[in-house]
Amino acid sequence: MKKSPSNTSFKRHQKKAKVQKDLSTQKEQAVEVLESVESELFKTVRAILSKARAVVYTTANAEMVKAYWNVGREIVEKQGGLSRATYGDGLIKSLADRLTVEFGEGFTASNLFNMRQFYLAFPKFYTLRRELSWSHYRILMRISDDNRREWYTEECAKSGWSVRQLERQINTMFYERLLSSKEKDALNS
C-alpha cells in the first residue's frame, strides 16, 4: 500500500511541529537559566557593594569621630586643661570663623564647643566605640554621670541602637529602671 502524499506531509508537519516545540521549550529553559544566573549574579554583586558601602560609611564615620575628639582635645589643651577658660569663648569663636571659611558650616562655634565637650566627656580615646556615630556621642556626652554614660555607650554599641532608640532609652530612664529591678531582685532573693 502506497503512502498518500497528504499522510506523509502530515507526518512531516507533525515532526516539524514537535521539533519546533522542543526548540521552543529549550529556549524557554535557557531563558529561565539565564534569568536565574542573572538574578543570582545581581544578588551577589549587590551584597558585595552593600557591604563595601557599609564599611566605607563606618570607616568614614569612625575617622570623623576621631577627628572631632582630637579637635576637642586640642581646644582643651590650649585652654590650659581647664573645664572653662576665661578666654575660651573668644578662642573658639575665632577658630570657628577660620575653620568655616576653609571647611564649611560643620565647624561653627557651637560645633566646636560640642567637640570640646566630647573630649571632656570621653577623655580616654580607647573608650570610644566605632559602632557609634557623632550623633550618638552628641547625646551621650550630655549625660553627666560617668557610670550612666558608660553604661549607655556600651549598651548602645552592643545592641546596635539607632540615635532615636538611644534617646528613647535615656528619656525613659532605662538604666535606672534596670538598676531598680536588679535591686528588687537582690532584695527578694
Side-chain angles (χ1 to χ4, degrees):
M1 180 167 148
K2 249 183 167 182
K3 291 183 181 176
S4 70
S6 63
N7 193 17
T8 305
S9 173
F10 177 73
K11 286 185 178 180
R12 240 186 274 137
H13 179 69
Q14 277 185 323
K15 205 177 209 183
K16 188 176 181 182
K18 185 178 181 323
V19 167
Q20 286 177 340
K21 184 178 178 188
D22 289 346
L23 285 174
S24 177
T25 302
Q26 288 175 353
K27 282 182 183 178
E28 288 173 7
Q29 290 172 343
V31 167
E32 287 175 8
V33 167
L34 182 60
E35 287 174 353
S36 175
V37 168
E38 285 177 358
S39 179
E40 190 62 35
L41 177 61
F42 173 77
K43 287 177 186 175
T44 302
V45 170
R46 183 176 181 228
I48 291 167
L49 294 175
S50 293
K51 182 179 178 183
R53 183 179 283 170
V55 168
V56 166
Y57 174 79
T58 301
T59 302
N61 180 67
E63 286 303 310
M64 289 312 298
V65 167
K66 180 180 175 182
Y68 296 157
W69 185 87
N70 281 312
V71 169
R73 180 179 50 102
E74 288 297 320
I75 292 169
V76 169
E77 287 176 1
K78 293 303 181 253
Q79 292 175 333
L82 304 174
S83 63
R84 185 99 180 152
T86 54
Y87 64 92
D89 289 351
L91 178 69
I92 288 177
K93 286 178 184 166
S94 172
L95 181 61
D97 290 341
R98 293 178 70 182
L99 290 173
T100 300
V101 167
E102 189 165 336
F103 294 103
E105 293 300 313
F107 297 93
T108 62
S110 63
N111 280 345
L112 292 177
F113 278 113
N114 280 335
M115 293 173 202
R116 182 183 178 286
Q117 179 60 32
F118 178 44
Y119 174 76
L120 292 171
F122 295 90
K124 296 176 182 160
F125 181 77
Y126 65 85
T127 64
L128 300 180
R129 301 291 303 260
R130 287 183 64 83
E131 303 92 339
L132 303 183
S133 69
W134 174 240
S135 297
H136 285 103
Y137 281 113
R138 286 185 55 209
I139 292 165
L140 290 164
M141 67 188 181
R142 293 185 215 143
I143 301 171
S144 58
D145 180 81
D146 291 341
N147 291 331
R148 195 170 163 244
R149 182 176 49 250
E150 184 180 323
W151 186 87
Y152 277 112
T153 301
E154 292 303 313
E155 195 62 29
C156 182
K158 183 176 75 175
S159 300
W161 291 344
S162 68
V163 173
R164 276 195 181 149
Q165 289 170 317
L166 173 61
E167 281 182 309
R168 184 177 62 242
Q169 301 296 15
I170 292 169
N171 291 337
T172 61
M173 301 177 71
F174 184 57
Y175 173 72
E176 291 77 5
R177 288 184 291 121
L178 191 62
L179 280 180
S180 175
S181 71
K182 284 183 178 180
E183 288 172 2
K184 285 179 187 176
D185 289 345
L187 289 174
N188 291 333
S189 35

